[in-house]
Amino acid sequence: MTRRPVADASSKDAAGFIALPGDAADHLQPRAFQYEMLEESLQRNVIVAMDTGSGKTFIAILRIQAELERAAPGKVLLDALVHGFVRMERLSLLVFDEAHHCIAAHPASRILRDFYHPQLQAKSDRMPAILGLTASPVVNSKIGKLEELETNLQAISRTPKLNREELLRYVHKPCLIKLVYPSEVHYTRRSQLMTDLYRLRNGLNIEQDPYVKKVRADPTSRDSGQLQKIMLSRKTYCQEQLKGLCTRAETIWTELGPWAADWYINACVRKFQLGIRGNSTDFGFFDESEKVYLEQCLSSIMTATTEDSLPSIADAFLSGKVLHLIDFLLSRQIPAFTGLLFVRTRAEVAVLAQLLSTYPRTRALYKIGTFVGVSSSASRKGNIGELVDVRRQVDTLDDLRFGRKNLVITTSALEEGIDVTACNTVICFDKPPNLKSMIQRRGRARQSESVFVIMLADDADPSMTTWDQLEEKMQRQYMDDMRQLQELEAAEEVEEGYRELVVEKTGAKLLLADAVSHLYHFCATLTSGPSSNRVPVFTFDSVGEGSITAKVVLPISVDASVREACGQSAWTTEKMAKRDAAFEACVQLYHAGLISDNLLPIKTLDEVIAEIKSEVAKVPSLVEVAGQFNPWYLVARQWQASTDHLGLHSFQVSLDCNGELVTTMQMLLPCPLPPIPPIPLYWDALRTFRATIYPCPWVVTRSVNPDIVAQSTTLLLRSIFGHKMDVQKTDFVAFFLPSEGEDPEQWTERLAGTINAEKLKHIDLPTLSLAKLGIIRDRGQNGIPYILKGFRTRSPEHEMDTSEGQQYMGDEEASPLLQVSRFPKRSDFLHKVSEHPQRPATKAYKELLKPEDCEIDKLPLPYAYLAAVVPSILHRVGVRLLAARLCDSLLTTTVFEKLDLVVTAITTSAAQEPTNYQRQEFLGDSVLKFLTSLTLASEHLRWPEGHLSRAKDHIVSNASLAKAALAVGLDSFILTQSFTGTKWKPLYVTDQIEAPTGQPRQLSTKTLADVVEALIGAAFLDGGFAKAIAILKVLLPRVFLSDMGNSNGKLHSAHQASDALIIYPPHFSRLEQLVGYTFQLKSLALEALTDSSFVGSNVTNSYERLEFLGDVCLDIIVSTTSFDHEPPIPTHGLHLIRSAVVNANFLAFLCLNLHESVSRTNFTTGNKHNDVSLLKTSVPIQIWKFIRHASSSIRQAQRAALTRYESLELPITESLRNGPHIPWALLARLDAPKFFSDIVESLIGAIYIDSHGSLAACEAFLERLGVMGYLRRLLHGGVALYHPKEELGQLADTESVRYEVFREDGEEKRLGCVVWIGEREVTRVGDGVSVLEVETRAAEEAGRVLKGERDGGMKKRKFDE
């Protein structure tokens, strides 16, 4: 790097660096004072103290560049250090921008206190250097804070001394202006709107508050004293919102004036009303009932007020402070005005922006922008007093930089840490709160001749002497060249109760102070229902005078063995006791494997899976894979090894048509073949040949003359492929010989060559068998091959007679003509021939040839037929060899009895083979999910459902499976190319031995994943779950999958241990009667119906883990039943049927529908004497009534769902029994909460574990529930399977479909939906209960409209025709 600063430069700017001319213009050179600070930082740890805009960041860049030349860099972040991703000893340089924050509990200070100082005390020889950057080393009026800052950073403050003149020349300090305004308010009366707002806030009835009603209805909240606390504090969300709105309006009334206050109230209320009516996410944190309540309250004060009805802006309605600000802005009309206006609150930002943009004297002069801090906190998002939309400020700073805006109103958000263009005017609407703020704001005015304005009330002390003196003293202190950094002589004082957990493997560290936040983070990652409380609950006990201990209970979805933790010590404060208990809980979770070595919640299976996940993330959707393996390569190698032609294998190849044998030959190979099923060969649209290949019951052990077998093979193939044969080669990979009993040499000599067709007239034609003749070749047309069909005579005038039925009668004076048809040009006989639209397939196309122009092959026509289909036969043999090679190499530990399954599994639809992998992939997908979920649940008994789901989703993802396929080399066995035969030529050993694989190709990751799943499905069909597990161990070797018996045993044993800890409620025996299953482990029945909101004893876990397992049990039962149906269901139909049967709304309906009647006796007094009598009634008992929970929202959801069920039961039941389509819209209108379907799946999971893994027991429950009956109806056909939205997409064809959902007017706030096809509105429906329901119903109606239009158009066309 350059060691001397550039003294003369062509251009300079205010950013603190010199731009070189010419080619070096893009290279930044340090100024002298920056170079001085760089040299200081290279010698020791320093804090660079220079003004804002003087180029401190450039010094940091230079320092980093210098460090890069000496050592590798490291990223310093507190979280990275806390979780052990980065270690302090591996860092070489720490740069602290805004270094004045390195005190107290700031994250920068924690980096130093918790990680840097311990290394320093240990006298480590690998300490990083430190560079701090700040414009204000002190942040308040205490000069002693500088020593604290230097001690924390182990650094000394430095500012340029030798080159200070240059620093002052390029750093422009603005002129300070104290703008004094009158403090007395010239208006006293509040407007009617403000008066109404205060009256509303003070007159609210707390009993009508939605939150109070909710708490009062919840017995658990009443018992805990929560209701009493609310009534005393009056702190509810609605109350706090109105209180905050009043407070902000009062502040604006005082600071800005009555007009500003009225505009603010009006804008806030209107934004809230529009937001909740339009389903804005800005108010998503409000409960629906709270939205309605607040809207009703606020609407009462806005009945006659609109923005247009507000009084126009006049000086009488503005504060003196605002008027003085306006006067200053009007006096500051300079060219290229660029300014910042700092205010205290976000509300003032919004109101001042509106005021200055509409005030007559300023609106033409200033282009206003706003900028506030970006916060994602729930309290701010749900604040009705929040007007500034941070989404609209994305371009504000760029607008200021490029002149599109010239005045930005902001809060302290722009004081530091954000790059803001240099301004010439900075105004503080209020006195800065401290010295740091003053220095930071002043630094924003760094153009030449800038002004820094501070507005002060006339009754305040206008003197800035204290700050001026403090800054001067601070400058003297860090300018003192003799002042040296004091070394710390004593260790840091150990904080009371200091404890830590350090993971040696990663260096991650858990401190007592961090334990609570870590625990909350862990609980937040748990997946639970909307009614669940995903936070830890702390309780405290007094153990003596002034001493307390704490206990923490985690959510019920956490395993019971680590759900509770108690602190180790007694404390004087709840804060420390809470930390102690949280620390112990975190330690338990870590040792239980629920927190990783980085002290973060686990999200994947284990470290192996984490490694795979990082690798899989690199896999694109389309990847280059190996070319297809050439199965004839191995055959060629065996031919080369068989030099004496002994031990060869003979196969009989027969060709028949409609059961009649056409011809047969022997095929000679050096190796055995796997079983080859009959091969259909489509000769034309009418005739189909069939080739069968059987091994001869002997192996050729006698010496075979290679020349003879080569000649017979050449004779056969040359009849059709003579133009494609290499005359120099005879090393065929497959030899063809005449059938057993005929000498190959004599056969070849007898049938080789041709005869002149004129010789036919010397033969008794009526007795001639045409089949014994060979191919007719027209010498005048380059030997085009024909098939002889018969003979025709010529007329005396030598004209062709084409009449039917005329035979040649042996007249030697008449020359016979040959009636022929062209030999097929086709080379692909594996795919059917479509009939030519203009040539009837019922009649062969025939031509007439002169015998004198033709010659006839001696090789009979049946052999030519066989020769023509040899490429097709060898292709099918090659496919079987490819599948066999896969079984003998990669899948050698999985012995397949049915090779057809492997062939199907590796065949894509693009290959156009008789079968492809799609159906087996459907089955394999279900098998994989089932076995993966079963292993995860059994191997990780403490994992909550969220962890299990994330691990399963990763293992079965397309990216993971594709990566696995590539890793084991499966890609080279996948069939993707369709056979056409157009480029086929005889297969020679010398050609095949050179190419074990084809050229690399592109495959999608989905195809790779599909083949993996198809092979799993093949293994399952060949040998059940045992063989599926065996093949999974081959294809996914890095993922542990347990045997089913072992997994089932672990799950059963785990619940057997907890069974002794619970008391089985007597009424649960009715549940067993209802589901038709008696539990041996009663704890499973309890767990299956325990919601995560449940509070109390007699509980092991909530139902989520069982629901996780039951989900895949349901899936595998439905998938296997659908797959086994005869006739086979197409793949798309399988997916549609499975989606319909496992649909949450369908399962919820069945859950609501399944019931048993229980007799109940009640006492009644129905006569005039009030005599007591007994009345017997029948009460339905349903599964959902057994759910154990402690949530009023669940209770309300149950009642609402039951009401909807009662109105929809009959139409849904009728549609399920007899309807022509699945009742998608009716089921969506049921809108049952998810827990209804969840408990169905959790019961399936419970039955599976209790029955030691019996899917039959689970299926029996599904039969009782009604799932299997409806599945059978769908499988038998007659029910439209498509969802209305999918069907509408098909009907719309190429036009786009768009759904617009809106909220209808009315008390119930129902939904409506408009369907657009292209630019045309097709239908509009209303009265919707959910987005899903109203869109489904709208799609149904739109489909009916399009079908009607289509049918009407068809009838019109028929009528016109």
Side-chain angles (χ1 to χ4, degrees), residues 667-963:
M667 182 170 64
L668 208 61
L669 291 170
C671 57
L673 288 179
I676 311 292
I679 305 171
L681 300 162
Y682 305 98
W683 187 256
D684 53 33
L686 292 176
R687 285 184 297 173
T688 299
F689 292 150
R690 185 183 67 158
T692 54
I693 302 175
Y694 295 105
C696 295
W698 65 86
V699 175
V700 179
T701 55
R702 59 185 174 86
S703 178
V704 176
N705 188 328
D707 295 332
I708 297 299
V709 296
Q711 290 173 11
S712 64
T713 305
T714 301
L715 174 62
L716 177 72
L717 297 181
R718 185 174 291 164
S719 65
I720 302 299
F721 304 105
H723 61 291
K724 293 186 176 182
M725 297 183 68
D726 190 335
V727 296
Q728 303 296 325
K729 294 181 179 180
T730 58
D731 55 337
F732 301 101
V733 295
F735 289 105
F736 288 90
L737 304 170
S739 58
E740 182 66 20
E742 189 165 2
D743 184 79
E745 186 174 3
Q746 295 178 3
W747 182 84
T748 304
E749 291 178 355
R750 178 168 54 85
L751 299 180
T754 63
I755 61 173
N756 195 315
E758 282 190 297
K759 294 183 178 181
L760 292 176
K761 66 181 181 179
H762 303 297
I763 301 174
D764 185 8
L765 295 181
T767 62
L768 177 66
S769 173
L770 298 181
K772 293 182 179 181
L773 297 177
I775 289 178
I776 305 293
R777 300 184 187 275
D778 186 350
R779 288 190 296 264
Q781 300 183 50
N782 295 321
I784 292 179
Y786 291 91
I787 300 172
L788 181 62
K789 295 295 184 180
F791 304 94
R792 293 290 184 269
T793 59
R794 296 180 183 178
S795 64
E797 293 80 11
H798 301 286
E799 292 182 356
M800 294 184 181
D801 184 1
T802 58
S803 61
E804 294 292 334
Q806 187 174 1
Q807 297 293 327
Y808 176 68
M809 302 305 294
D811 185 355
E812 294 187 4
E813 296 300 323
S815 298
L817 296 175
L818 306 180
Q819 187 182 34
V820 297
S821 64
R822 287 285 298 267
F823 197 90
K825 292 183 178 180
R826 297 176 60 235
S827 52
D828 169 22
F829 296 95
L830 295 177
H831 302 103
K832 291 183 177 181
V833 181
S834 59
E835 294 186 4
H836 196 283
Q838 298 184 8
R839 182 181 298 170
T842 57
K843 188 174 182 180
Y845 181 69
K846 299 177 183 178
E847 300 180 36
L848 297 175
L849 297 177
K850 297 178 181 180
E852 58 268 26
D853 296 334
C854 301
E855 58 185 19
I856 304 174
D857 287 354
K858 291 183 180 180
L859 185 71
L861 187 61
Y863 289 109
Y865 287 152
L866 178 60
V869 298
V870 161
S872 299
I873 293 173
L874 292 183
H875 172 75
R876 284 288 161 81
V877 172
V879 170
R880 305 292 290 191
L881 287 172
L882 178 68
R885 176 60 180 171
L886 174 61
C887 293
D888 294 339
S889 55
L890 179 58
L891 306 180
T892 183
T893 58
T894 308
V895 181
F896 275 92
E897 297 179 4
K898 301 173 184 175
L899 189 63
D900 290 349
L901 296 171
V902 180
V903 172
T904 299
I906 62 175
T907 304
T908 66
S909 58
Q912 297 185 26
E913 293 292 312
T915 60
N916 61 59
Y917 64 61
Q918 292 178 351
R919 273 176 46 88
Q920 286 183 193
E921 179 270 329
F922 166 84
L923 182 63
D925 171 76
S926 185
V927 172
L928 174 61
K929 289 176 180 176
F930 174 74
L931 293 175
T932 301
S933 301
L934 181 61
T935 297
L936 288 171
S938 61
E939 294 299 320
H940 302 279
L941 296 170
R942 290 177 173 176
W943 276 17
E945 179 271 334
H947 292 47
L948 295 172
S949 293
R950 282 191 292 267
K952 181 203 73 174
D953 291 344
H954 167 65
I955 293 173
V956 304
S957 69
N958 283 346
S960 295
L961 297 180
K963 190 73 175 180

Side-chain angles (χ1 to χ4, degrees), residues 141-448:
S141 300
K142 297 180 181 179
I143 195 65
K145 288 292 182 181
L146 179 59
E147 283 83 359
E148 180 184 350
L149 180 66
E150 291 181 331
T151 300
N152 285 348
L153 286 167
Q154 290 290 290
I156 186 169
S157 294
R158 282 289 182 262
T159 194
K161 178 173 69 93
L162 302 178
N163 300 281
R164 188 160 186 78
E165 290 185 7
E166 186 183 24
L167 170 65
L168 296 176
R169 188 162 58 250
Y170 292 108
V171 177
H172 308 287
K173 287 199 173 183
C175 173
L176 176 64
I177 297 177
K178 301 169 185 175
L179 187 61
V180 180
Y181 62 88
S183 59
E184 184 178 356
V185 178
H186 61 269
Y187 45 83
T188 56
R189 292 185 58 188
R190 291 182 174 83
S191 67
Q192 185 63 44
L193 186 57
M194 279 197 70
T195 303
D196 291 344
L197 178 62
Y198 271 84
R199 185 181 298 113
L200 170 65
R201 191 254 184 253
N202 296 328
L204 280 183
N205 183 358
I206 190 69
E207 291 288 349
Q208 299 302 315
D209 193 289
Y211 186 62
V212 172
K213 290 182 177 180
K214 180 179 179 180
V215 173
R216 190 178 291 280
D218 189 345
T220 59
S221 300
R222 293 199 306 268
D223 296 342
S224 65
Q226 185 179 359
L227 180 61
Q228 184 179 5
K229 294 177 183 177
I230 294 172
M231 299 303 290
L232 291 174
S233 66
R234 300 181 70 85
K235 286 187 177 180
T236 68
Y237 206 57
C238 294
Q239 294 277 342
E240 291 298 303
Q241 287 297 310
L242 289 175
K243 178 181 177 182
L245 183 61
C246 289
T247 302
R248 294 184 187 91
E250 181 70 24
T251 300
I252 291 173
W253 185 83
T254 304
E255 293 289 311
L256 307 181
W259 181 91
D262 279 6
W263 181 88
Y264 174 71
I265 296 170
N266 180 79
C268 289
V269 175
R270 295 303 180 197
K271 180 183 179 182
F272 177 70
Q273 291 174 331
L274 291 174
I276 64 172
R277 290 170 185 171
N279 290 324
S280 171
T281 57
D282 290 341
F283 303 102
F285 290 85
F286 280 92
D287 184 79
E288 192 65 33
S289 60
E290 290 175 326
K291 291 180 185 179
V292 174
Y293 178 68
L294 268 180
E295 183 186 19
Q296 291 173 347
C297 293
L298 294 172
S299 297
S300 66
I301 67 169
M302 298 295 293
T303 52
T305 305
T306 64
E307 188 169 351
D308 295 336
S309 67
L310 292 174
S312 58
I313 305 178
D315 292 356
F317 299 112
L318 300 178
S319 68
K321 189 175 184 179
V322 170
L323 293 174
H324 275 64
L325 170 65
I326 292 174
D327 289 341
F328 173 77
L329 290 174
L330 293 174
S331 68
R332 185 67 178 163
Q333 297 184 38
I334 60 174
F337 175 92
T338 309
L340 296 177
L341 173 58
F342 286 96
V343 298
R344 282 184 302 178
T345 66
R346 299 162 72 95
E348 290 175 280
V349 169
V351 177
L352 269 177
Q354 176 68 17
L355 193 155
L356 295 177
S357 298
T358 55
Y359 187 70
R361 292 196 291 161
T362 57
R363 62 187 177 195
L365 299 175
Y366 294 101
K367 293 170 286 186
I368 308 296
T370 62
F371 194 94
V372 297
V374 179
S375 172
S376 59
S377 67
S379 60
R380 180 155 290 162
K381 281 187 176 180
N383 193 335
I384 63 175
E386 178 69 29
L387 286 182
V388 179
D389 189 347
V390 296
R391 293 167 293 191
R392 297 184 178 180
Q393 68 181 34
V394 175
D395 299 323
T396 295
L397 298 183
D398 282 342
D399 290 343
L400 182 66
R401 182 175 292 109
F402 297 113
R404 294 188 290 267
K405 289 184 171 55
N406 58 6
L407 178 61
V408 172
I409 306 175
T410 183
T411 59
S412 58
L414 287 186
E415 282 185 356
E416 59 180 333
I418 299 177
D419 183 23
V420 181
T421 189
C423 298
N424 53 37
T425 305
V426 173
I427 306 170
C428 297
F429 197 62
D430 303 282
K431 183 178 177 180
N434 51 47
L435 175 62
K436 183 204 76 168
S437 291
M438 188 202 76
I439 296 174
Q440 298 283 5
R441 294 180 183 185
R442 185 184 65 187
R444 296 301 188 190
R446 57 180 183 267
Q447 290 187 16
S448 59

